[in-house]
C-alpha cells in the first residue's frame, strides 16, 4: 500500500517569540497520482503516497465508476519519476459505462470538482442513504472525535494532513486514512471500508476538515448515515445532506457540536429538546 515516504525532514529558520533559530521540521510528501482505467487516464490528483490501493478503490466508488469492489478486476501501483499510476482494470459493464462519460480531471488538493464538464455534474443528485433507524448517543459521537487525534500517525509528525475515519458504537474507530487532501482522505477511507467488507450503514464518518458538498456526495456513495466534522459545513453541503438522508454533525469541539440535518439519529439529552424540521 505504501509506495514511498509519507514525510521527509527539511531545514527551517524559525522565528517565534521574537527569537530566531535554525532547526528542521518533518514535512508531508505530496505527489501526482494518476488513476487509469483499462489503459486510459481518467484523473490526476495530488496527494500523499500512501494507501493508494484504497484510494483507487474509494475514488472509483465515490465517483460512481463502480458500485462494488469486484467490479475492479485488478489494481496495480506503478511508481515512476513523476508520481504513481494507480492502474485499474474494470469488468465489461463498468468499462462501457465509463467510456460513455469519459472525462479528464486535474485536481489540486484543495479542489474536489476540477475538470467536470457541466453544472449538472457539479450539482448531481446525491445517492439516498438507506434509513436503518440507527441512533447514536450524542456523547459517543463526541468521544469518537476526541479519540481520533492520537490515531492520526502522519499528522502527529507533520501537522499538515487531513484524516477521515470510520466509527461504530460497537467496534469504535476502525480504518483511519490520512492525506494532504481532505477529499483524498475520504476516498481512501471509502476504499478501506469497501475492501474490508464493513457495513458503512452502521456507523459514522469522522472528518478533520470542513464539510463541502462533494464530501457529502462521497459519503452518500459510501452509504454512511452520519458525518461528523471538526469544521463548519457549507450551505450547499447542508442541503445535499438533507437530500441524501445524512445526519450532518459539524463544528465538533471539546464541548459539543451542531446537528444540522436529520437529528433523529442523534440521541441528545432531554434538555436539548428543540429539533430541526428535517
Amino acid at each position: 500500500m505504501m509506495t514511498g515516504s509519507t514525510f521527509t525532514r527539511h531545514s527551517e529558520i524559525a522565528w517565534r517569540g521574537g527569537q530566531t533559530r535554525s532547526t528542521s521540521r518533518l514535512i508531508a510528501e505530496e505527489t501526482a497520482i494518476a488513476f487509469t482505467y483499462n489503459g486510459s487516464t481518467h484523473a490526476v490528483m495530488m496527494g500523499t503516497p500512501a494507501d493508494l490501493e484504497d484510494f483507487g478503490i474509494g475514488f472509483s466508488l465515490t465517483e460512481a465508476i463502480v458500485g462494488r469492489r469486484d467490479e475492479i478486476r485488478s489494481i496495480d501501483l506503478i511508481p515512476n519519476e513523476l508520481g504513481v499510476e494507480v492502474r485499474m482494470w474494470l469488468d465489461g459493464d463498468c468499462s462501457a459505462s465509463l467510456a460513455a462519460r469519459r472525462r479528464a480531471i486535474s485536481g489540486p488538493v484543495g479542489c474536489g470538482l476540477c475538470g467536470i464538464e457541466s453544472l449538472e455534474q457539479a450539482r448531481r443528485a446525491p445517492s439516498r442513504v438507506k434509513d436503518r433507524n440507527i441512533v447514536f448517543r450524542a456523547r459517543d459521537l463526541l468521544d469518537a472525535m476526541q479519540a481520533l487525534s492520537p490515531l492520526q500517525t502522519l499528522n502527529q509528525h507533520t501537522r499538515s494532513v487531513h484524516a477521515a475515519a470510520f466509527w461504530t458504537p460497537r467496534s469504535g474507530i476502525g480504518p483511519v486514512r490520512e492525506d494532504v487532501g481532505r477529499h483524498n482522505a475520504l476516498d481512501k477511507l471509502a476504499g478501506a471500508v469497501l475492501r474490508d467488507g464493513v457495513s458503512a450503514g452502521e456507523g459514522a464518518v469522522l472528518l478533520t476538515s470542513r464539510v463541502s458538498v462533494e464530501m457529502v456526495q462521497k459519503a452518500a456513495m459510501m452509504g454512511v448515515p452520519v458525518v461528523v466534522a471538526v469544521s463548519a459545513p457549507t450551505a450547499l453541503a447542508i442541503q445535499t445532506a438533507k437530500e441524501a438522508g445524512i445526519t450532518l454533525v459539524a463544528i465538533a469541539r471539546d464541548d459539543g457540536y451542531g446537528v444540522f440535518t436529520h437529528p433523529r439519529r442523534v440521541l441528545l439529552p432531554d434538555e436539548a429538546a428543540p429539533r430541526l424540521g428535517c
Side-chain angles (χ1 to χ4, degrees):
M1 297 288 282
M2 197 82 67
T3 62
S5 175
T6 56
F7 58 87
T8 51
R9 186 171 292 277
H10 294 260
S11 59
E12 172 190 10
I13 298 175
W15 182 65
R16 297 184 183 279
Q19 301 295 317
T20 302
R21 65 189 179 95
S22 295
T23 182
S24 64
R25 178 181 294 273
L26 295 175
I27 302 295
E29 288 290 335
E30 181 179 12
T31 193
I33 302 164
F35 297 115
T36 67
Y37 297 94
N38 295 357
S40 297
T41 300
H42 178 76
V44 180
M45 311 295 286
M46 299 302 298
T48 302
D51 301 305
L52 296 187
E53 185 173 332
D54 286 342
F55 195 5
I57 295 169
F59 178 88
S60 302
L61 172 69
T62 64
E63 291 295 314
I65 294 169
V66 302
R68 305 187 313 275
R69 168 65 181 90
D70 59 10
E71 291 175 333
I72 302 175
R73 297 204 314 265
S74 66
I75 181 168
D76 296 297
L77 307 181
I78 315 296
N80 59 54
E81 65 277 9
L82 299 177
V84 183
E85 178 186 344
V86 181
R87 186 177 297 172
M88 291 169 278
W89 295 90
L90 307 180
D91 68 17
D93 291 341
C94 288
S95 178
S97 175
L98 180 61
R101 64 180 186 89
R102 175 69 62 188
R103 61 186 171 95
I105 308 173
S106 178
V109 297
C111 178
L113 295 174
C114 294
I116 61 175
E117 297 174 343
S118 69
L119 294 176
E120 287 77 11
Q121 285 178 313
R123 189 61 184 91
R124 70 178 188 268
S127 297
R128 183 80 184 180
V129 172
K130 292 182 180 178
D131 195 343
R132 304 186 182 187
N133 296 319
I134 293 177
V135 176
F136 303 105
R137 291 186 299 183
R139 184 74 229 182
D140 289 346
L141 291 173
L142 188 60
D143 288 345
M145 286 298 293
Q146 293 172 338
L148 177 56
S149 181
L151 303 178
Q152 296 174 236
T153 305
L154 180 56
N155 197 57
Q156 295 291 335
H157 291 297
T158 65
R159 302 296 179 185
S160 63
V161 297
H162 294 290
F166 184 72
W167 171 87
T168 65
R170 179 178 301 177
S171 303
I173 296 178
V176 179
R177 294 294 181 264
E178 296 179 276
D179 199 279
V180 292
R182 57 197 170 90
H183 313 96
N184 300 348
L186 183 53
D187 279 338
K188 288 179 178 181
L189 177 66
V193 169
L194 191 61
R195 280 199 319 121
D196 293 346
V198 176
S199 176
E202 296 179 359
V205 160
L206 313 178
L207 301 173
T208 64
S209 64
R210 67 183 177 89
V211 189
S212 51
V213 60
E214 67 274 21
M215 299 292 277
V216 175
Q217 290 170 335
K218 288 177 181 293
M221 290 299 296
M222 292 175 64
V224 175
V226 176
V227 172
V228 188
V230 299
S231 296
T234 66
L236 187 54
I238 293 173
Q239 180 182 339
T240 304
K242 288 180 181 178
E243 296 171 357
I246 289 176
T247 298
L248 181 55
V249 179
I251 322 176
R253 302 289 189 264
D254 290 342
D255 61 343
Y257 46 68
V259 184
F260 289 86
T261 61
H262 302 288
R264 66 184 182 278
R265 294 195 185 95
V266 181
L267 186 60
L268 294 167
D270 290 340
E271 61 268 23
R275 311 297 288 178
L276 299 178
C278 59

